[in-house]
Amino acid sequence: SSDLDFGKTPDPARSQSSNLAVTREITSTPCVILYCGVDINPKAIAFAKARFPSDSFHTGDHRWFIKHGKTLGSFDLFVASHVLYYIDEKHTRSVLDSAREVADYILVADRMQRFSDDSGERTGLFTHPYANICKDLGLAILEMAQGDPFGYFLARADR
């Protein structure tokens, strides 16, 4: 596992307050975590804002993040937790490209059946060839764990 200081984190995943609570709970290094979350569900955003009023939350989908990501600031870590398999590959590439522009690191937890294979079985959801996408976008994979079917990868822009 990586010893990274995830002090500022935008997250387009579906469970804003849960992700923030876990992030603050597991961060062993004393630091201030400034959190910015994006979710398509206005009720989830309202709940997160009530639970964490000093953090930033926005109602929007992947297209909103692609359009407005740069206006949110710069971040140490971008998290996409079990959300990209609902988005087609073209838009997933755009989300990761936008994340690359605003964050030092990108953490994706998702279905990983096609991580290294762009011809793998489609399951009705959008599984993505993340290794190829990252290579095309200039993202270096630092760490990867492939489960069945879920896993994660941590990437950083090649600089």
Side-chain angles (χ1 to χ4, degrees):
S1 67
S2 300
D3 296 325
L4 303 174
D5 177 7
F6 300 131
K8 290 176 68 183
T9 305
D11 183 352
R14 63 186 189 276
S15 182
Q16 301 306 316
S17 62
S18 295
N19 289 334
L20 177 53
V22 168
T23 301
R24 288 195 170 138
E25 183 180 307
I26 65 171
T27 303
S28 58
T29 307
C31 68
V32 174
I33 295 175
L34 304 174
Y35 191 89
C36 176
V38 179
D39 196 297
I40 195 168
N41 183 340
K43 289 181 180 178
I45 293 300
F47 180 81
K49 284 181 176 180
R51 187 169 178 197
F52 299 103
S54 63
D55 291 291
S56 173
F57 300 95
H58 306 274
T59 303
D61 63 4
H62 60 284
R63 292 174 296 256
W64 186 93
F65 178 75
I66 292 164
K67 183 176 180 180
H68 299 285
K70 287 183 183 178
T71 66
L72 300 175
S74 61
F75 300 92
D76 298 321
L77 176 68
F78 170 92
V79 177
S81 177
H82 303 285
V83 67
L84 295 178
Y85 56 80
Y86 293 110
I87 302 170
D88 64 63
E89 187 173 325
K90 174 186 168 190
H91 286 101
T92 293
R93 285 178 178 272
S94 295
V95 166
L96 293 176
D97 192 36
S98 296
R100 180 185 58 81
E101 293 177 1
V102 299
D104 295 333
Y105 294 90
I106 297 172
L107 177 64
V108 173
D110 207 341
R111 293 179 175 264
M112 295 290 165
Q113 298 98 313
R114 294 180 59 224
F115 183 85
S116 298
D117 177 10
D118 60 8
S119 64
E121 177 184 345
R122 297 208 181 259
T123 62
L125 299 171
F126 295 101
T127 54
H128 302 297
Y130 287 114
N132 291 340
I133 293 171
C134 289
K135 181 180 176 187
D136 292 347
L137 296 177
L139 294 169
I141 304 294
L142 304 177
E143 189 173 311
M144 190 265 190
Q146 190 164 351
D148 183 21
F150 298 102
Y152 75 90
F153 70 88
L154 178 67
R156 181 177 174 99
D158 287 333
R159 298 176 200 230

